[in-house]
Amino acid sequence: MNDTTPAHVGSPENLAFWEAAGEGRLLVRRCTHCERPHYYPRAHCPFCASSKTEWEVASGLGEIYSFSVIRRATPIYIPAYVTLSEGVTMLTNIVDCDPEGLRIGLPVRVTFRAVADGRQAPMFTPVASMHSGSPASRDIASRSDSR
């Protein structure tokens, strides 16, 4: 467990998210009215305000949008924004890697780590086997270009 990772506050609205994380699955919400996915997990769509949203299992693949290496912490702590292949961007941590090898646009995959309150939280690690020509990497790039 990384002592620099804060506990996550749960609520009835995001209980399914934390239960799925405990089972090793990453969930995002999708609005059934406007069809747009959103993250952080909440019942009402932030785009059209519809209450018609549902959970969907995310691929767990994404790319680093932004990151910072916090070297004053022990161990080193790497908070980051990761854009999932589903199109949503989430605040998370990058783990199990050499910070010197990180860069914007680097493909990552979800992994789950225990946080201070014992829950499993989604974090991300670089995908060594992905390269710029892979289908998943092209899908992520095409979503990034459409922003």
Side-chain angles (χ1 to χ4, degrees):
M1 179 170 67
N2 182 344
D3 292 336
T4 61
T5 304
H8 292 78
V9 178
S11 72
E13 190 173 49
N14 62 30
L15 180 62
F17 175 85
W18 292 111
E19 287 175 346
E23 298 166 357
R25 296 179 298 126
L26 178 61
L27 298 181
V28 296
R29 296 288 286 193
R30 182 174 297 275
C31 177
T32 59
H33 180 75
C34 72
E35 298 296 320
R36 293 176 73 179
H38 59 271
Y39 183 89
Y40 67 91
R42 55 201 180 273
H44 285 82
C45 176
F47 305 109
C48 72
S50 173
S51 63
K52 297 180 183 193
T53 63
E54 60 189 20
W55 292 106
E56 71 177 37
V57 177
S59 67
L61 298 175
E63 69 178 22
I64 296 175
Y65 177 80
S66 178
F67 70 96
S68 181
V69 179
I70 311 300
R71 297 180 188 283
R72 295 184 77 155
T74 304
I76 291 174
Y77 178 61
I78 309 169
Y81 282 101
V82 167
T83 301
L84 299 179
S85 61
E86 289 77 14
V88 299
T89 301
M90 62 185 291
L91 181 60
T92 185
N93 297 329
I94 306 296
V95 296
D96 300 334
C97 66
D98 175 6
E100 301 305 320
L102 297 177
R103 61 176 169 72
I104 304 301
L106 184 71
V108 292
R109 67 173 171 78
V110 74
T111 186
F112 294 87
R113 296 287 186 271
V115 293
D117 65 1
R119 283 190 238 197
Q120 296 291 310
M123 299 183 190
F124 288 80
T125 189
V127 179
S129 63
M130 288 180 74
H131 54 82
S132 61
S134 72
S137 182
R138 282 195 304 270
D139 179 53
I140 293 166
S142 70
R143 289 179 188 266
S144 296
D145 293 341
S146 65
R147 279 186 247 146

